[in-house]
Amino acid sequence: MTIEAPQTVMVRRGLRALVLSAGFALAGCGGGPTPTTFDLTAPSGFGRVGGSRATMVVARPTAVQTLDSDRVIVKDSSGALSFLGGAQWADQVPALVQTRLIQTFENASRIGSVSAPGQGITPSLQLVTDIRSFNIDAASGAAVVEITAKIVGDTSGKIQRARLFSARVPAAAVDGPGAAQALDRALSQVLIEIVRWAR
């Protein structure tokens, strides 16, 4: 029986670990081309809409599991949902919508103070939203965005007002750039309407 020196055993173990890690890295690269990443924008330049001194917290929107992702969704005529290949959002859709909604309020100077939860302000109101639709409708070739919004008294917990906001915008093409541009435009319409409604 041959007994190897401890240094030799450690070198062999190190080489084995290096080969395994390289193999995992190559396996991770074999999933096809990296999807193109798209972002959403916060509307600005739509004028001051008259505001209040209220302090508002904008909660992260709720959404069904399929929409709570960074994938671009296409809905066919049967209602089946699929992911658009080669395209993804810069973050999960609810996180992006929350950030752009806060920024839209700031751009409009609509509320005395607006922020996400946990940022050190004592709010008088809370804006709670649910993303019902955020997809391309394959049958019509349009981007569809539907968001319900509720104004909740932060101390009472009572719903003061609620409304469904929606927009449909034709997509130039059902591909990454076409879908992302149309969904961004549809969301902008909805965000402006929410900001004008909330007070």
Side-chain angles (χ1 to χ4, degrees), residues 64-69 71-84 131-138 144:
V64 297
Q65 185 175 1
T66 306
L67 294 176
D68 193 4
S69 73
R71 306 299 299 272
V72 180
I73 306 296
V74 177
K75 184 176 183 179
D76 67 19
S77 57
S78 70
L81 303 177
S82 60
F83 297 137
L84 186 62
I131 303 172
R132 290 190 177 184
S133 299
F134 197 89
N135 60 267
I136 297 296
D137 177 28
V144 181

Side-chain angles (χ1 to χ4, degrees), residues 20-21 35 48 55-56 69 76 78-80 113 120 126 162 169 185-186 195:
L20 286 173
S21 63
R48 295 177 64 91
T55 56
M56 177 183 285
S69 73
D76 67 19
S78 70
S113 176
Q126 183 173 186
V169 172
R185 289 169 54 203
V195 168

Side-chain angles (χ1 to χ4, degrees), residues 150-161:
K150 298 179 180 72
I151 300 292
V152 180
D154 195 68
T155 54
S156 67
K158 181 180 178 181
I159 297 175
Q160 298 181 358
R161 287 178 296 139

Side-chain angles (χ1 to χ4, degrees), residues 83-171:
F83 297 137
L84 186 62
Q88 66 182 10
W89 298 111
D91 201 344
Q92 293 181 326
V93 169
L96 276 178
V97 170
Q98 179 190 28
T99 300
R100 302 304 174 234
L101 182 53
I102 291 171
Q103 291 172 345
T104 305
F105 273 107
E106 292 171 340
N107 292 344
S109 300
R110 180 68 184 86
I111 297 291
S113 176
V114 60
S115 72
Q119 294 188 351
I121 71 168
T122 303
S124 55
L125 300 171
Q126 183 173 186
L127 179 63
V128 179
T129 56
D130 178 71
I131 303 172
R132 290 190 177 184
S133 299
F134 197 89
N135 60 267
I136 297 296
D137 177 28
S140 63
V144 181
V145 173
E146 294 181 340
I147 298 177
T148 60
K150 298 179 180 72
I151 300 292
V152 180
D154 195 68
T155 54
S156 67
K158 181 180 178 181
I159 297 175
Q160 298 181 358
R161 287 178 296 139
R163 183 177 159 187
L164 170 64
F165 299 87
S166 63
R168 296 178 67 93
V169 172

